[in-house]
Amino acid sequence: MNRELLFYITAILLCTGMLSCNKKETIATCNYEVVPLPKSITPAKEAPFILNTSTHIGYPEGNEKLKQTAVFLSGYIREMTGIETEVTVDTGSSNNIHLVLDRTAASSPEGYRLKVDKKDITITGSSEAGIFYGIQTLRKSLPVTGQKEISFPAVQILDEPKYRYRGMHLDVGRHFFSTDFIKKYIDIIALHNLNTFHWHLTEDQGWRIEIKKYPKLTEIGSKRKESLLNDGSGKFDGKPYGGFYTQEEVKDIIEYAAERYITVIPEIDLPGHITSALAAYPDLGCTGGPYEVATTYGVHKEVLCVGNEQSLRFAKDVLSEIIELFPSHYIHVGGDECPRDRWQQCPKCQALIHNSGWKDTKEHKAEDKLQSYFMTEVERFVNSKGRQIIGWDEILEGGLAPNATVMSWRGTENGIKAAEMQHDVIMTPAGITYFNGRQLLELGGNRGIRRVYDFKICPDTLSEATAKHIIGVQACLWSERIDTPERAEYLILPRLAALSELGWADPKQHDFDAFMDRLYRLITVYDKSHYTYSEHVFQITENFRTDTLQDALEISLSTIGNRPIYYTTDGSQPDTASLIYTEPLIIRENTKLKAVIVTAEDTSSVFEEHIHVNKATFKPSWLANAPHENYTFNGVSTLTDGLQGNQNYNTGRWLGFLKDMDLTIDLQKSTPVSSVSLTVNVSKGAAVMDATGLEVWCSEDGKEYRKLASASYPVLDKEDKDGIYPHTLSFSVVETRYVRIIAKVTPKLPAWHMWPGNPAFLFVDEVCVK
């Protein structure tokens, strides 16, 4: 955030009493309403505790873990306030911060009790981890100040997390990140009360961890000849690229994370996403190669040959060294995006299928059993070492390994299915918790972060027996287009704050507006820690409501601290001479809205929106088939609100369907109609396809319909481009009140697709009737 904006926000907080500005009380004061919000904050009616340079932080004698935690707290206080606090063995004296271990302090091992009175601050934890989370709350409550004393209002805080698994992922396969940045990433995770770092260590584009029994994995597999440019041109940079972590470096990272009560879960992706290993050991593939470390992204057909016993031996050897290195209870074995092409043609794989008696079924191909067989064998081996496996939700295909935990990334449905089968589940749906895409950041204002905040980890409809298997949530950062640490930080912050609250706070406490107030204060910690973060959340936020009774669009604008917003509706550039926004705008005709925040310190970027009105715009409408639950956004009015979506299908301007879009519009009176058009967003790699047909029907009474026009469109070919596809049907003028429009989905993904035979999405936006 630029410093002028931060100054302005701080001034607002001061004036509203969020920071102390009373002339009689010049001492800086803490605010315990932090991110994530503690379970209960109970003020006490007594004088505050005053922290100063004579305050000590005491830890139990002989407890080295809590000594380190005390050192962390001392550092946090120094960073935020400049005050030096001494770390000592706790003597019980006054004017101290006491770290106390009490197994009965909370029902959760990560729970804590924080008590402040005029003499002391006491953080009591059920475990050392609980105390660590207590000091995080204290840290985030601190003001940024240069004063020599800090006031801590008397209070009792009782706190514990909602979910036991709260994770953040990092892909180092596509792009490699230094050990220094990995440690910084872990610090960011710790700040947000997450307890798991999911380290994605192997990919088609690079093998990133030393395996002593297979030295070629890093000698050959960690290097690729070139990389794709990040400009989307499809061109390469022509520069060799590589990097890996030695086992000693890995041990150092694990220790660093453990000091912050973060478990590092390694991922060795099997049996797909393995091209880097095949380049090093070609005998592990179905064709025998030659192979090279991948330079393009996406899903590659070269996978481990499951029919070759050597492949399973390789997997076990690698996992043996991984298990020896990583103390985590879970070992992630991937299992995602593994094409069956090579298995269908491989004599060894087909022999295993034949000898095992596997046949195609209604639900699965025989080749799917190869994946299930391989994962079950891997799981059996990992279990024999006293560990458990996690896999992406594709491990459901062909039958799930008996004790596996499922990471549900293709929406939430597969996670619910696994939970109903009594498997533990971690929710990480790509449309919401994949932070590598810009679309969730750039929805406009705070809408991107709100999309994360409003996600329900555990749907209300689940039974208690099923819900208990939803053990947590995770965000993922895939690094195809992330080649710098700064870019990685920018993409996860401040969205990680919303995820933090999802995983920690009770859903009954969720309040987005209150969360935003707390987020603004958390930004001061980001600045003090020199983190790079997105400022989209501080721009103008717009909200739209279609009013079918008034035949209009209601537009509300807001921003941090109610800073003044100036706007125009004729497309001209707004400034302080323009209209100032005071209440929602009512739009009934074509409009070019522009708005800007102007203060004495700064002028924001210009917010711009074009509203295009046609005969269907703002009219009552309904759908015969509901959109997919992850892509409902503002509901059916999204299709006729006058707002055209851009090329990001996930921005909230498009509705996503797995069944035909069947829309009926009530024009409210008999109206001449001669054409209907709509646009479809195509992103083939994400299974988002074009319509395969369009029909237009009309009716005077809303009961009896007759077809006016129809058209069929071919299923997209592999070479067809992504982007926005317009479709129009014209016909002789007809007088009608009701218009019914059916856009047909692609029945199933074609054979060339990475997920052939699976359902295809259809994303539709603005419907135009002329």
Side-chain angles (χ1 to χ4, degrees), residues 388-403:
Q388 298 289 327
I389 70 166
I390 295 178
W392 301 106
D393 59 51
E394 283 95 332
I395 65 174
L396 290 166
E397 296 169 2
L400 187 57
N403 302 307

Side-chain angles (χ1 to χ4, degrees), residues 9-31:
I9 295 168
T10 303
I12 292 168
L13 297 178
L14 281 165
C15 294
T16 56
M18 293 181 182
L19 297 176
S20 175
C21 62
N22 191 315
K23 291 182 180 179
K24 296 181 180 179
E25 185 190 358
T26 58
I27 188 171
T29 303
C30 294
N31 188 326

Side-chain angles (χ1 to χ4, degrees), residues 685-705:
V688 179
M689 302 288 282
D690 190 18
T692 56
L694 188 63
E695 297 177 359
V696 178
W697 300 67
C698 71
S699 172
E700 271 300 311
D701 59 5
K703 297 178 182 179
E704 298 292 329
Y705 284 84

